Amino acid sequence: MKNLDTLTFDNRFARLGDAFSTEVLPEPIEQPRLVVASEAAMALLDLNPAEAQRPEFAELFAGHKLWEEAEPRAMVYSGHQFGGYTPRLGDGRGLLLGEVVNQSGEHWDLHLKGAGMTPYSRMGDGRAVLRSSIREFLASEHLHALGIPSSRALCVTGSGTPVWREKQESAAMVMRLAQSHVRFGHFEYFYYTRQHEHLKTLGEHVMACHFPHCLEQDEPWLALLREVIERTAAMIAHWQAYGFCHGVMNTDNMSILGITFDYGPYAFLDDFDANHICNHSDDTGRYSFSNQVPIAHWNLAALAQAMTPFASVDKLREALDLFLPLYQAHYLDLMRKRLGFTSAEDEDEALIQRLLQLMQAGKSTDYTLFFRRLGEQAPAEALKVVREDFVDLAGFDAWGQDYLARYALEGGEQSERQARMHAINPRYILRNYLAQQAIEAAEGGDYGPVRELHSVLSRPFDEQPDMQRYAERPPEWGKHLEISCSS
C-alpha cells in the first residue's frame, strides 16, 4: 500500500503539449474538509484507506497542495450539445492534475472538478457546488458496484466558499478517476478546426495508451471506432437494463473508453416509464430514457465523422451498422439474466418487450423492486407478489403464464435461481430522494447520511438487514424531484 507522499505520476496527456491542454493551477477553496471518500477508489491508486484521515488528504484532493510531479492542465475539446455544435468547450471547471500509475501498471487520471476558472470557463465561475459533487460521487461509485462501466470518484471535499446558482450555495470539489478523460468532443475539436496533424496525434495517443491492439491492424482508425462502438453498446445496454437515465448525452460527455461519464441530472427509474425525462432543462426530451439508444448511435456517428481524414466513409458507416446489433445482444443477455434465465430462446425478446409494455401501461411498477421480488420466491409465488403493481391484470396474468412456461425450460432449484437473480438484481438503487436527503444533511454540516448511503450503495446486491429503509419504494414526492444541469 502507498501513502499520499509515495504516489507515482506519469503525465502522458500533459506531454502532448499546449495544443491539447492549458496549464492552469487550481483555485483553492476555503477550509477544505472531507465529506466522503471511497476506499474502493483509493485502492485503484494503491492508497492505504487510513490516508483519508490525514489533513493532507483533503488539502491535496482539493488543490490546496500539489504533488511535485503533478502537472495541472485544462483539456480543450468541443462537442454537440443538444444536437447543436459548440466549437470550443474544454474543462471549464475541471483540471487534470496528472496521471498516477499503480502497482499493476494502470494509469489513473486525477481529475479535479470544481477547481476554479480556466480559459474554457465561458463566463462561469469554475466552481462546483456541494449537491452536484455529492451526486456525482454517489453515482460514479454506485454504477461501478452495479457492474455498469463508469468513471470513478475518490472523494468529495466541502468548504465554506460561497457560490451563487439559483441561490447561495457552498463550493465543493469531487476528485474523479478514469483511465482517460478523452471524449468524443476531443476528436471533433481537432477535426472541425482542421488541425488534422493534432487529430492524428490524439488518435495515436489514445490507441497507444488504451487500445494498442488497434495499432497492429491494417486500418487502425477503423479498429479504434469499432472498439468504441463495442464498448458504448455494452454501456448503453447496461443503462437500459438497469433503468439509468444519463440526462445530458452531449458528445463532450461521451467517453472514448465507453464508460459512464460526466454525471449531471441523472436518475434511475422509480416507476417504469420509457419516456422519462430526468433533466428538467431538456424541454424536447432529446435525452429521455427511450432515446438513449438512438442518441448513442448518433453520437458515434459524430465521432466517426471526425475520423474521416484517416478512414474511408464507407467503412466507417459499416462499422456504425454494428452498434444496434451489438447493443441488442448485450441488452437481451442482461434482461434474460434479470428474469432468471441462463439460456437463450427465440421468444425471449418478445417476452421482455411485453413485460415492459405492461409496465408502461400503468406506470406504477417499481422497476428495481420488480426484478428483486421476482427472484425472492419460486416463480409462481413471486408472480402473485409482483402482480399487485400492474394495472392490466389480465395482460399480466397472460404474461405470467408464458414466463412460467419459459422458466420451465431452465429447471434447477429455487435456491440456485434466487442466488443467481439476486446477484444481478440489486436490492438497493440510487434514488433521487435518497441522494437529496443525504445532500440536505451535508449542507447542514452532517456528513453521516452521505457516508452511510455510499456504504449501502457500494454493496447493492447484498442483504443489509439494518438498512431496509434504503430498499423501500420512494414516497410520491421523491418521484418528482426536478434535476437540472446547474451545478
Side-chain angles (χ1 to χ4, degrees):
M1 300 296 287
K2 293 190 175 184
N3 58 43
L4 293 169
D5 307 312
T6 58
L7 294 179
T8 301
F9 283 79
D10 179 21
N11 305 319
R12 300 174 300 180
F13 193 86
R15 291 198 292 270
L16 294 179
D18 293 342
F20 298 85
S21 61
T22 303
E23 184 178 356
V24 182
L25 291 175
E27 297 179 26
I29 48 179
E30 298 173 5
Q31 300 174 326
R33 46 187 177 264
L34 181 63
V35 176
V36 60
S38 167
E39 290 188 6
M42 290 175 67
L44 297 174
L45 308 181
D46 301 321
L47 270 177
N48 189 320
E51 292 295 283
Q53 307 307 316
R54 295 175 55 186
E56 293 87 352
F57 187 87
E59 293 173 343
L60 283 165
F61 290 118
H64 263 246
K65 294 181 177 180
L66 286 174
W67 295 269
E68 288 185 10
E69 302 90 343
E71 299 181 65
R73 311 281 299 193
M75 307 168 86
V76 62
Y77 47 84
S78 62
H80 281 84
Q81 299 186 303
F82 289 88
Y85 184 67
T86 303
R88 195 173 88 153
L89 294 166
D91 286 337
R93 59 186 168 190
L95 290 178
L96 176 59
L97 297 186
E99 300 172 53
V100 171
V101 186
N102 66 18
Q103 292 173 344
S104 299
E106 297 171 335
H107 283 67
W108 287 94
D109 288 359
L110 300 186
H111 197 277
L112 185 59
K113 188 172 183 179
M117 292 183 66
T118 78
Y120 314 111
S121 294
R122 295 182 300 150
M123 307 298 290
D125 59 12
R127 293 298 189 194
V129 297
L130 184 60
R131 59 180 164 84
S132 65
S133 300
I134 287 174
R135 282 177 55 81
E136 176 147 2
F137 173 89
L138 290 172
S140 301
E141 293 304 283
H142 181 50
L143 263 72
H144 172 73
L146 288 170
I148 301 176
S150 175
S151 58
R152 304 295 299 277
L154 188 136
C155 65
V156 174
T157 309
S159 77
T161 302
V163 292
W164 287 93
R165 297 298 182 258
E166 287 82 3
K167 60 180 181 179
Q168 181 175 311
E169 302 185 53
S170 58
M173 295 185 184
V174 57
M175 177 56 70
R176 310 191 295 184
L177 305 181
Q179 292 188 291
S180 174
H181 279 76
V182 173
R183 312 148 188 265
F184 291 11
H186 277 88
F187 288 80
E188 291 184 289
Y189 174 74
F190 291 112
Y191 171 74
Y192 286 109
T193 55
R194 295 191 171 94
Q195 300 180 66
H196 290 180
E197 281 302 311
H198 289 322
L199 177 60
K200 182 173 183 289
T201 298
L202 176 68
E204 290 174 349
H205 167 84
V206 168
M207 286 186 273
C209 293
H210 307 291
F211 310 115
H213 58 279
C214 291
L215 291 171
E216 300 171 0
Q217 303 299 311
D218 293 337
E219 299 185 70
W221 285 77
L222 189 60
L224 173 60
L225 180 63
R226 286 173 177 161
E227 182 78 36
V228 179
I229 288 170
E230 167 71 35
R231 289 174 172 233
T232 302
M235 177 188 72
I236 299 296
H238 278 82
W239 288 7
Q240 301 305 113
Y242 281 96
F244 177 75
C245 311
H246 184 278
V248 192
M249 290 178 65
N250 298 332
T251 58
D252 57 291
N253 292 338
M254 298 291 290
S255 165
I256 202 69
L257 299 183
I259 60 175
T260 314
F261 201 62
D262 265 10
Y263 292 90
Y266 67 81
F268 279 92
L269 296 178
D270 289 318
D271 294 340
F272 182 82
D273 178 8
N275 301 314
H276 179 68
I277 302 169
C278 68
N279 182 357
H280 180 58
S281 306
D282 187 4
D283 296 329
T284 65
R286 176 181 176 86
Y287 298 140
S288 67
F289 179 68
S290 60
N291 274 354
Q292 292 186 137
V293 177
I295 287 296
H297 199 184
W298 192 97
N299 288 343
L300 286 164
L303 175 63
Q305 179 66 44
M307 293 183 172
T308 53
F310 306 106
S312 77
V313 171
D314 288 343
K315 290 185 177 180
L316 291 169
R317 285 175 176 161
E318 289 176 7
L320 287 170
D321 288 341
L322 298 172
F323 172 75
L324 288 176
L326 286 169
Y327 160 77
Q328 192 69 3
H330 285 298
Y331 178 74
L332 285 176
D333 181 60
L334 286 166
M335 293 302 288
R336 285 187 179 107
K337 290 176 180 176
R338 297 208 73 182
L339 289 171
F341 304 152
T342 59
S343 60
E345 299 292 338
D346 291 341
E347 67 269 19
D348 290 346
E349 183 175 359
L351 191 70
I352 293 164
Q353 289 305 314
R354 283 172 56 201
L355 173 63
L356 297 180
Q357 288 166 3
L358 287 164
M359 290 181 174
Q360 183 69 28
K363 297 181 184 179
S364 58
T365 304
D366 189 285
Y367 187 69
T368 297
L369 291 181
F370 171 84
F371 291 100
R372 185 74 179 195
R373 289 173 175 172
L374 189 63
E376 291 282 359
Q377 303 178 58
E381 295 303 313
L383 287 170
K384 294 177 184 177
V385 174
V386 298
R387 180 181 188 268
E388 300 174 0
D389 285 340
F390 287 81
V391 172
D392 182 1
L393 295 180
F396 180 77
D397 289 341
W399 182 87
Q401 290 303 309
D402 290 338
Y403 175 77
L404 290 175
R406 170 63 178 87
Y407 190 76
L409 300 175
E410 297 288 327
E413 298 294 327
Q414 166 57 19
S415 59
E416 297 172 353
R417 173 178 177 268
Q418 183 183 80
R420 188 169 65 245
M421 292 182 70
H422 280 9
I424 194 170
N425 295 323
R427 181 161 183 76
Y428 304 95
I429 205 79
L430 177 51
R431 301 182 187 272
N432 267 337
Y433 89 99
L434 293 174
Q436 185 60 32
Q437 289 175 335
I439 288 166
E440 289 175 0
E443 288 176 335
D446 180 3
Y447 303 146
V450 69
R451 294 176 181 180
E452 181 174 87
L453 181 58
H454 163 58
S455 177
V456 171
L457 296 175
S458 296
R459 298 188 292 124
F461 304 104
D462 296 349
E463 294 289 345
Q464 301 178 52
D466 296 334
M467 300 300 169
Q468 173 60 31
R469 63 187 180 280
Y470 292 110
E472 296 173 351
R473 291 189 72 144
E476 281 303 312
W477 65 264
K479 300 178 184 179
H480 307 292
L481 293 172
E482 293 184 344
I483 309 295
S484 72
C485 294
S486 172
S487 61

PDB file of all heavy atoms in Angstrom, residues 242-259:
ATOM      1  N   TYR A 242     -30.828  -1.502 -16.484  1.00  0.00           N
ATOM      2  CA  TYR A 242     -30.963  -1.125 -15.072  1.00  0.00           C
ATOM      3  C   TYR A 242     -31.788   0.141 -14.860  1.00  0.00           C
ATOM      4  O   TYR A 242     -31.954   0.591 -13.729  1.00  0.00           O
ATOM      5  CB  TYR A 242     -29.575  -0.968 -14.429  1.00  0.00           C
ATOM      6  CG  TYR A 242     -28.957  -2.291 -14.076  1.00  0.00           C
ATOM      7  CD1 TYR A 242     -28.060  -2.921 -14.929  1.00  0.00           C
ATOM      8  CD2 TYR A 242     -29.286  -2.935 -12.885  1.00  0.00           C
ATOM      9  CE1 TYR A 242     -27.504  -4.152 -14.615  1.00  0.00           C
ATOM     10  CE2 TYR A 242     -28.732  -4.163 -12.555  1.00  0.00           C
ATOM     11  CZ  TYR A 242     -27.849  -4.768 -13.425  1.00  0.00           C
ATOM     12  OH  TYR A 242     -27.307  -5.990 -13.102  1.00  0.00           O
ATOM     13  N   GLY A 243     -32.296   0.727 -15.935  1.00  0.00           N
ATOM     14  CA  GLY A 243     -33.156   1.895 -15.789  1.00  0.00           C
ATOM     15  C   GLY A 243     -32.410   3.165 -15.448  1.00  0.00           C
ATOM     16  O   GLY A 243     -32.945   4.030 -14.746  1.00  0.00           O
ATOM     17  N   PHE A 244     -31.188   3.310 -15.953  1.00  0.00           N
ATOM     18  CA  PHE A 244     -30.399   4.505 -15.667  1.00  0.00           C
ATOM     19  C   PHE A 244     -30.584   5.536 -16.773  1.00  0.00           C
ATOM     20  O   PHE A 244     -30.461   5.222 -17.959  1.00  0.00           O
ATOM     21  CB  PHE A 244     -28.920   4.165 -15.543  1.00  0.00           C
ATOM     22  CG  PHE A 244     -28.036   5.373 -15.329  1.00  0.00           C
ATOM     23  CD1 PHE A 244     -28.000   6.004 -14.097  1.00  0.00           C
ATOM     24  CD2 PHE A 244     -27.270   5.898 -16.367  1.00  0.00           C
ATOM     25  CE1 PHE A 244     -27.212   7.134 -13.889  1.00  0.00           C
ATOM     26  CE2 PHE A 244     -26.474   7.014 -16.179  1.00  0.00           C
ATOM     27  CZ  PHE A 244     -26.443   7.640 -14.936  1.00  0.00           C
ATOM     28  N   CYS A 245     -30.872   6.762 -16.381  1.00  0.00           N
ATOM     29  CA  CYS A 245     -31.014   7.880 -17.319  1.00  0.00           C
ATOM     30  C   CYS A 245     -29.849   8.843 -17.093  1.00  0.00           C
ATOM     31  O   CYS A 245     -29.684   9.356 -15.984  1.00  0.00           O
ATOM     32  CB  CYS A 245     -32.325   8.641 -17.081  1.00  0.00           C
ATOM     33  SG  CYS A 245     -33.792   7.620 -16.952  1.00  0.00           S
ATOM     34  N   HIS A 246     -29.074   9.102 -18.132  1.00  0.00           N
ATOM     35  CA  HIS A 246     -27.914   9.979 -18.003  1.00  0.00           C
ATOM     36  C   HIS A 246     -28.326  11.447 -17.952  1.00  0.00           C
ATOM     37  O   HIS A 246     -27.828  12.217 -17.129  1.00  0.00           O
ATOM     38  CB  HIS A 246     -26.945   9.737 -19.160  1.00  0.00           C
ATOM     39  CG  HIS A 246     -25.673  10.520 -19.056  1.00  0.00           C
ATOM     40  ND1 HIS A 246     -25.567  11.840 -19.459  1.00  0.00           N
ATOM     41  CD2 HIS A 246     -24.440  10.181 -18.605  1.00  0.00           C
ATOM     42  CE1 HIS A 246     -24.329  12.274 -19.239  1.00  0.00           C
ATOM     43  NE2 HIS A 246     -23.623  11.279 -18.730  1.00  0.00           N
ATOM     44  N   GLY A 247     -29.183  11.852 -18.840  1.00  0.00           N
ATOM     45  CA  GLY A 247     -29.714  13.213 -18.792  1.00  0.00           C
ATOM     46  C   GLY A 247     -29.082  14.191 -19.743  1.00  0.00           C
ATOM     47  O   GLY A 247     -29.755  15.107 -20.221  1.00  0.00           O
ATOM     48  N   VAL A 248     -27.775  14.071 -20.023  1.00  0.00           N
ATOM     49  CA  VAL A 248     -27.103  15.027 -20.921  1.00  0.00           C
ATOM     50  C   VAL A 248     -26.089  14.274 -21.788  1.00  0.00           C
ATOM     51  O   VAL A 248     -24.887  14.344 -21.567  1.00  0.00           O
ATOM     52  CB  VAL A 248     -26.387  16.159 -20.149  1.00  0.00           C
ATOM     53  CG1 VAL A 248     -25.978  17.271 -21.124  1.00  0.00           C
ATOM     54  CG2 VAL A 248     -27.278  16.737 -19.068  1.00  0.00           C
ATOM     55  N   MET A 249     -26.590  13.597 -22.806  1.00  0.00           N
ATOM     56  CA  MET A 249     -25.717  12.786 -23.660  1.00  0.00           C
ATOM     57  C   MET A 249     -25.135  13.615 -24.810  1.00  0.00           C
ATOM     58  O   MET A 249     -25.210  13.232 -25.982  1.00  0.00           O
ATOM     59  CB  MET A 249     -26.476  11.579 -24.197  1.00  0.00           C
ATOM     60  CG  MET A 249     -26.792  10.535 -23.150  1.00  0.00           C
ATOM     61  SD  MET A 249     -27.738   9.150 -23.841  1.00  0.00           S
ATOM     62  CE  MET A 249     -26.538   8.446 -24.996  1.00  0.00           C
ATOM     63  N   ASN A 250     -24.536  14.748 -24.474  1.00  0.00           N
ATOM     64  CA  ASN A 250     -23.801  15.514 -25.468  1.00  0.00           C
ATOM     65  C   ASN A 250     -22.535  14.752 -25.847  1.00  0.00           C
ATOM     66  O   ASN A 250     -22.030  13.942 -25.064  1.00  0.00           O
ATOM     67  CB  ASN A 250     -23.422  16.887 -24.914  1.00  0.00           C
ATOM     68  CG  ASN A 250     -24.638  17.729 -24.559  1.00  0.00           C
ATOM     69  OD1 ASN A 250     -25.702  17.585 -25.143  1.00  0.00           O
ATOM     70  ND2 ASN A 250     -24.474  18.607 -23.577  1.00  0.00           N
ATOM     71  N   THR A 251     -21.975  15.033 -27.025  1.00  0.00           N
ATOM     72  CA  THR A 251     -20.778  14.291 -27.425  1.00  0.00           C
ATOM     73  C   THR A 251     -19.589  14.617 -26.536  1.00  0.00           C
ATOM     74  O   THR A 251     -18.661  13.806 -26.430  1.00  0.00           O
ATOM     75  CB  THR A 251     -20.422  14.552 -28.897  1.00  0.00           C
ATOM     76  OG1 THR A 251     -20.218  15.955 -29.108  1.00  0.00           O
ATOM     77  CG2 THR A 251     -21.490  14.038 -29.826  1.00  0.00           C
ATOM     78  N   ASP A 252     -19.586  15.770 -25.886  1.00  0.00           N
ATOM     79  CA  ASP A 252     -18.492  16.079 -24.964  1.00  0.00           C
ATOM     80  C   ASP A 252     -18.640  15.336 -23.641  1.00  0.00           C
ATOM     81  O   ASP A 252     -17.734  15.379 -22.804  1.00  0.00           O
ATOM     82  CB  ASP A 252     -18.388  17.588 -24.725  1.00  0.00           C
ATOM     83  CG  ASP A 252     -19.671  18.179 -24.185  1.00  0.00           C
ATOM     84  OD1 ASP A 252     -20.656  18.222 -24.938  1.00  0.00           O
ATOM     85  OD2 ASP A 252     -19.700  18.603 -23.014  1.00  0.00           O
ATOM     86  N   ASN A 253     -19.766  14.654 -23.446  1.00  0.00           N
ATOM     87  CA  ASN A 253     -19.970  13.840 -22.249  1.00  0.00           C
ATOM     88  C   ASN A 253     -19.866  12.349 -22.543  1.00  0.00           C
ATOM     89  O   ASN A 253     -20.243  11.521 -21.719  1.00  0.00           O
ATOM     90  CB  ASN A 253     -21.340  14.129 -21.628  1.00  0.00           C
ATOM     91  CG  ASN A 253     -21.432  15.529 -21.054  1.00  0.00           C
ATOM     92  OD1 ASN A 253     -20.412  16.151 -20.748  1.00  0.00           O
ATOM     93  ND2 ASN A 253     -22.633  16.048 -20.902  1.00  0.00           N
ATOM     94  N   MET A 254     -19.356  12.014 -23.725  1.00  0.00           N
ATOM     95  CA  MET A 254     -19.205  10.612 -24.121  1.00  0.00           C
ATOM     96  C   MET A 254     -17.728  10.243 -24.074  1.00  0.00           C
ATOM     97  O   MET A 254     -16.895  10.867 -24.737  1.00  0.00           O
ATOM     98  CB  MET A 254     -19.760  10.388 -25.521  1.00  0.00           C
ATOM     99  CG  MET A 254     -21.248  10.667 -25.659  1.00  0.00           C
ATOM    100  SD  MET A 254     -22.299   9.462 -24.799  1.00  0.00           S
ATOM    101  CE  MET A 254     -22.056   8.009 -25.819  1.00  0.00           C
ATOM    102  N   SER A 255     -17.411   9.227 -23.295  1.00  0.00           N
ATOM    103  CA  SER A 255     -16.016   8.809 -23.107  1.00  0.00           C
ATOM    104  C   SER A 255     -15.545   7.918 -24.246  1.00  0.00           C
ATOM    105  O   SER A 255     -16.274   7.039 -24.708  1.00  0.00           O
ATOM    106  CB  SER A 255     -15.876   8.055 -21.788  1.00  0.00           C
ATOM    107  OG  SER A 255     -14.657   7.345 -21.731  1.00  0.00           O
ATOM    108  N   ILE A 256     -14.301   8.115 -24.658  1.00  0.00           N
ATOM    109  CA  ILE A 256     -13.707   7.269 -25.682  1.00  0.00           C
ATOM    110  C   ILE A 256     -13.521   5.841 -25.162  1.00  0.00           C
ATOM    111  O   ILE A 256     -13.358   4.900 -25.955  1.00  0.00           O
ATOM    112  CB  ILE A 256     -12.356   7.866 -26.155  1.00  0.00           C
ATOM    113  CG1 ILE A 256     -11.986   7.340 -27.553  1.00  0.00           C
ATOM    114  CG2 ILE A 256     -11.270   7.621 -25.151  1.00  0.00           C
ATOM    115  CD1 ILE A 256     -12.866   7.845 -28.652  1.00  0.00           C
ATOM    116  N   LEU A 257     -13.593   5.666 -23.837  1.00  0.00           N
ATOM    117  CA  LEU A 257     -13.451   4.337 -23.236  1.00  0.00           C
ATOM    118  C   LEU A 257     -14.783   3.608 -23.115  1.00  0.00           C
ATOM    119  O   LEU A 257     -14.818   2.449 -22.681  1.00  0.00           O
ATOM    120  CB  LEU A 257     -12.806   4.434 -21.851  1.00  0.00           C
ATOM    121  CG  LEU A 257     -11.403   5.027 -21.772  1.00  0.00           C
ATOM    122  CD1 LEU A 257     -10.899   4.975 -20.337  1.00  0.00           C
ATOM    123  CD2 LEU A 257     -10.446   4.298 -22.696  1.00  0.00           C
ATOM    124  N   GLY A 258     -15.890   4.273 -23.444  1.00  0.00           N
ATOM    125  CA  GLY A 258     -17.187   3.634 -23.305  1.00  0.00           C
ATOM    126  C   GLY A 258     -17.607   3.458 -21.866  1.00  0.00           C
ATOM    127  O   GLY A 258     -18.197   2.440 -21.491  1.00  0.00           O
ATOM    128  N   ILE A 259     -17.316   4.455 -21.031  1.00  0.00           N
ATOM    129  CA  ILE A 259     -17.728   4.428 -19.626  1.00  0.00           C
ATOM    130  C   ILE A 259     -18.674   5.589 -19.366  1.00  0.00           C
ATOM    131  O   ILE A 259     -18.632   6.612 -20.041  1.00  0.00           O
ATOM    132  CB  ILE A 259     -16.514   4.517 -18.672  1.00  0.00           C
ATOM    133  CG1 ILE A 259     -15.721   5.808 -18.903  1.00  0.00           C
ATOM    134  CG2 ILE A 259     -15.627   3.291 -18.819  1.00  0.00           C
ATOM    135  CD1 ILE A 259     -14.571   6.023 -17.917  1.00  0.00           C
TER     136      ILE A 259
END
